[in-house]
Amino acid sequence: MAPMATTDPIFELRGVCKYFDDTCALSNIDLAIRNGEFLTLLGPSGCGKTTILRILSGFETPSTGEVRLNDTVINDVPPEKRKVNTVFQNYALFPHMTVRDNVGFGLAMAGTEKGEMARRVREALTMVHMEHLADRRPGQLSGGQQQRVGIARAVVNNPLVLLLDEPFSALDFKLRKAMQLEIKQLQRSLGITFVFVTHDQEEAFAMSDRVVVMNEGQIVQVGTPKEIYEEPASLYVARFVGDINILDATVRNATGDGMYRAEVEGVTMALHSKRRFSDGTEVKVLLRPEDLRVHRVAEGMLDEPHLLGRIAQTVYKGATVDLYVQLDDAHGGKTVMASEFFNEDDEEIIYDAGERVAVTWVDGWEVVLHAEDQ
Amino acid sequence: MQKISSRFVRTSIVVVTLWLSIFVLAPQAMLLIATFLERGQQDFLTTTFTLGNYVRLFDPVFLLIFWESFRLAGITTLVCLLFGYPFAYILATSRRTLRPWLLLLVIIPFWTNSLIRTYAMVIILKSGGVLSNVLLWLGLIDQPISLMYTDFAIFIGFSYTLLPFMILPLFAAIEKLDMRLLDASKDLGATAFQTFRHVTLPLTMPGIVAGCMLVFLPALGMFYVPEILGGSRFMLLGNYITNQFLMARDWPLGAAASTILTATLIMMILVYLRSVRASARSGEGALEGELLSTEGA
Amino acid sequence: MMKRLSSIYLWLVYAFLYVPIGIVMVYSFNSARFATNWRGFTWGWYAKLFANRQLMDAALNTLTVATLAATLAAALGTLAALVLHRYRFRGRKVLHGSIFVLTVSPDIVMGIAMLMFFIALRIDLGFLTLLIAHITLCLPFVAVTVLARLAEFDENIVEAAKDLGATESRAFRHIILPLIMPAVAAGWLLSFTLSMDDVLISFFVSGPSFEILPLKIYSMVRLGVKPDINALSAVMFTLTVVLVLTAHALTKARRK
């Protein structure tokens, strides 16, 4: 039975820094990985996510700080002595061995008894639907099949933690989607902690219990996919996880209950925020495209506060339409993007280029950050 | 124009194929045929068929030569492999910017006249030579010694001239090795030795076999190295073949002796092809559960 | 620690490879005639070397054969590589097979096979037999170098040239030839070096009418250590270094 994710950390990084020559790859990383969770390290290339993974697997040792597995410091334990296994980018399958020998490698190294080894290898291969190809060599398999073998080869050793280093980067879009689902199900049924590295935010959100967003060797936010998307801790996070509209604003005064009166692009509006802002603070108002609402000006004036502009471009996306609205110079002149759900019976969201529109948003869905919070 | 160009292509094919057929295949075929002919007084060869030349190779004198040659060539190959492998490994994993220059330092001796290199060994080994002087200076010996005219001298001479021929194919094989596979092996719990035994070694086997071929065969054939460093006391396969052609004028016997070289070569090529296939990324069929049957328990 | 040990090992092996030849070069400037002790600097052995007519003739012969053999081998080897790379034809297997036999068969076997062949055809051993043997010896080296280069470049560019109206021979002259030229040049240099250094095959196919340097060295070395051999070895080694460096520069340029 799969144990539910607990809050007990199984793997911990405390104050970890890593220097390569003189460049700092990781600075002061504190991270507690919970037993049984699916954790994703998300960030652009060079952000340090792979370095963290290599520190967890033992291929790198931290310059300073501690790595703890089940509350034991394992800084100097080599990879072969850690009960942690990795699914490598591009799989790293042994080309001179059959699929069966690849999967059995870890067990053979541990000196597992023959019968048990054969049984466990068969189980692992069945689990990834590869039992019929056990006698093939990696070179005779497709990318997706090699991926499955790579996963089986790692999980057959019953690791405490499974590390996955961008395992889908070489797969095409459709296969990637399918593998994401499979990996997620696998993690549920095995109940093992998974640490997954990717630069693809959609992938991260689709699979993870928690996401760690990284930038330039630092952790910038840790949270559930929902928290990261809806409550980004910084403009960097907001920009990295999906499209975002950023409006300039100045706080006039607090009106209590987490409400503020503010000038947003020259229009006085009410803003919601749990953060504290003193009067006169410059802030940024973050809005996801799906939170914006576009109205025809011709339909009469809105009674709620709004920004005026013109339709610059409409992009048909199938289920949605992206409306690019060029705000009037009086409202800062920015171009914002709104996604509206398309409804074939409803002509309402078909706009002509140049048409005058007003932009509002769903009350309370805005995120307000200090302007200097880059 | 298309017409002229295809004539150009056709002419090229004819010229190249003819050249190689006449100067490679025909002589080799002649050599093989000669091994089955009787020795002639006038023209070196008669047209009488015989297997006698191969029977004559079972003469104890020849068998001794044969044994000595294989022993020396074998030891040379083994020593070159033992010293060459770590060297090639260090070279192949050295910094990318430095690597071409380090490699060049191996390529230069590779291309240097082997006679000159053998001669350099004479200077080192002869009585009153460099090695003798160094040993005297270190106080390890009290009078000049000569290491010339021993099988040790021949062995050193072979190793010195042939070491680059071992290193280069090893380097090529190790450089091609995907280092992530070594990470994967460690990740799966293999110790450094296990990783070497089960991953590095099988994957670099083609380089090992190629290197052994490039050392072992010349060590059998380079007649001038034993002649210069070993003196007339040592008669090895290469000298024996040379003698049959230039002194004894017994072509069929010399050809038969050289067929042994070729047979050795073919055997090594077969081993090579096997190892290439075994380490190939797209091997045909499966060599059933090699690991599963050897490991465990 | 491991790194330190590695580099010590690396340099020990290099020392093994270079110290003996280095000693020969140093001795080539030693004025002592027999002793291995240093007796002062001299250019004398080089002067003696260049005054030795027989040796100079042999050197000239060697250079002549090496130049001709390298040039003809470069031409034939390039053609072999081109037809092997671009065309399917009857006899392709024969071509492939003989190049394979050439690259792997031991030099001594090649030498005696050619000796028998030339004697059987009653061709006098001398310049011609030597040249033929050296061309044959060098041909696969050029073919392999050029084939590697051909495999590197994109087949589409030849098609692009044809798409733009170039005929086969024009595509060859304007597209393929300039691209493989560095490889041909490198193959030429390697062939030159190979021909200059060969002992085993030359030993069988050359005659008294046409003496070449490696065989002169062979007979000199058999008679014992002499300082002018030191000087000759130093010259030959330096020439090899220059040739290898040039070939290296050419192959490096082609990577770019």
Side-chain angles (χ1 to χ4, degrees), chain A residues 59 85-86 96 100 135 139, chain B residues 183 186-187 198 281 283 286 292:
Chain A
F59 290 111
N85 288 113
T86 308
H96 59 302
R100 191 195 309 281
D135 293 320
Chain B
D183 278 359
K186 276 185 233 159
D187 187 76
H198 294 297
R281 270 160 198 284
L292 293 179

Side-chain angles (χ1 to χ4, degrees), chain B residues 203-279:
Chain B
L203 286 175
T204 53
M205 196 44 91
I208 294 174
V209 180
C212 288
M213 253 165 82
L214 287 183
V215 172
F216 192 75
L217 292 169
L220 288 180
M222 281 166 59
F223 61 84
Y224 49 87
V225 175
E227 185 171 332
I228 292 167
L229 292 169
S232 49
R233 283 206 307 128
F234 287 89
M235 169 77 86
L236 297 183
L237 189 56
N239 312 66
Y240 183 77
I241 294 173
T242 312
N243 274 354
Q244 296 315 314
F245 277 88
L246 300 182
M247 317 286 261
R249 302 270 165 182
D250 192 342
W251 283 16
L253 187 62
S258 79
T259 309
I260 296 204
L261 259 180
T262 312
T264 315
L265 168 88
I266 290 170
M267 249 161 52
M268 292 182 91
I269 289 176
L270 289 180
V271 174
Y272 175 79
L273 289 179
R274 221 188 103 96
S275 71
V276 169
R277 203 165 307 138
S279 72

